[in-house]
Amino acid sequence: MVNNATPEYNLLFKLLLIGNSGVGKSCLLMRYAENTFTENFFNTIGVDFKIKTTTLDSKIIKLQIWDTAGQERFRTLTSSYYRGAHGILIVYDVTDQDSFECVKNWVSEVDRLANDTVCRILIGNKCDREADRKITFEQGADLAKQYEMPFLEALAKTSFHVEEVFNVITKAIDEKFAKNQQTQTSFSNKLKKGSTLEGGPKTTSC
């Protein structure tokens, strides 16, 4: 039987939140997925995930967002979640120098474990705590530029830039997906015409 029902979504993207323990990954996820916030968040044990459906350019996109534990003892468990991720959100706490310095380690993890095509974004969380701030906006932006990824400061407590963070990474993934689709179509058309990858002459076989 043919199912004529409208599909629930057009695209499914897997996102991964990474960063040191206590930087606010779970708070960012809860604010985005459920628009809730609590000061009394316990550290994530292993992994947790939420589903959020959003719309981009008339396309319905389902986001499967995985929240990983930042503690070293869970690293072996959480490393498997890098595979198949379309987007990775690297989070640090603007009041925690160590969490910022560890960004380079998290980037190395992404380079080692994730697909080459994965999209990345750097997030400086807890940006309302100016009296305790250790990392300036400019430092965050410079580091993001060094690793060629977008950068935003955010605040899960008030939802400042939380929606924007996920919109930016979703749009980046969608654009890369569309570009890959175009490349595959172009490649298929070349094969149909009998041309080689190097653009050489048509070949025949007998």
Side-chain angles (χ1 to χ4, degrees):
M1 180 181 294
V2 178
N3 185 2
N4 294 319
T6 303
E8 184 181 345
Y9 55 89
N10 303 113
L11 296 168
L12 173 64
F13 294 155
K14 177 183 175 182
L15 305 182
L16 196 64
L17 282 156
I18 63 174
N20 282 18
S21 179
V23 297
K25 300 184 297 295
S26 298
C27 291
L28 286 169
L29 177 55
M30 290 298 294
R31 174 60 77 183
Y32 179 66
E34 301 181 1
N35 196 27
T36 59
F37 177 82
T38 176
E39 298 276 7
N40 302 315
F41 239 114
F42 295 102
N43 287 334
T44 301
I45 305 299
V47 293
D48 189 15
F49 82 98
K50 299 289 181 185
I51 297 291
K52 173 82 172 182
T53 302
T54 186
T55 303
L56 178 65
D57 299 330
S58 75
K59 287 174 289 193
I60 301 172
I61 299 177
K62 179 179 280 191
L63 302 176
Q64 187 183 76
I65 312 167
W66 292 87
D67 174 24
T68 64
Q71 299 100 311
E72 182 68 32
R73 61 196 172 106
F74 293 116
R75 200 64 58 82
T76 302
L77 171 63
T78 59
S79 63
S80 63
Y81 288 86
Y82 285 79
R83 292 190 292 272
H86 300 97
I88 295 182
L89 300 88
I90 305 173
V91 186
Y92 69 90
D93 177 350
V94 302
T95 71
D96 183 347
Q97 183 74 36
D98 184 59
S99 72
F100 181 71
E101 293 177 355
C102 283
V103 166
K104 63 179 181 296
N105 298 331
W106 291 107
V107 171
S108 295
E109 287 274 280
V110 174
D111 292 340
R112 185 170 62 90
L113 298 170
N115 297 327
D116 294 339
T117 57
V118 73
C119 294
R120 305 175 299 179
I121 186 171
L122 181 64
I123 306 160
N125 194 30
K126 307 183 185 180
C127 63
D128 64 322
R129 297 173 58 184
E130 287 298 329
D132 301 317
R133 180 187 281 270
K134 300 291 192 301
I135 313 302
T136 66
F137 178 90
E138 289 74 21
Q139 286 176 301
D142 287 345
L143 186 61
K145 184 177 181 181
Q146 177 183 332
Y147 290 117
E148 299 181 331
M149 56 180 163
F151 169 68
L152 281 171
E153 287 193 342
L155 180 59
K157 187 175 182 179
T158 65
S159 77
F160 174 72
H161 275 173
V162 174
E163 192 89 18
E164 287 83 349
V165 162
F166 287 91
N167 287 346
V168 167
I169 192 71
T170 301
K171 186 173 182 180
I173 298 168
D174 183 60
E175 289 175 351
K176 184 166 285 190
F177 178 81
K179 186 176 181 180
N180 288 342
Q181 289 288 92
Q182 291 173 357
T183 301
Q184 290 175 8
T185 300
S186 176
F187 176 72
S188 297
N189 289 338
K190 284 182 179 180
L191 288 180
K192 288 177 183 178
K193 292 177 182 178
S195 61
T196 65
L197 281 174
E198 294 77 20
K202 295 180 180 179
T203 60
T204 58
S205 60
C206 57

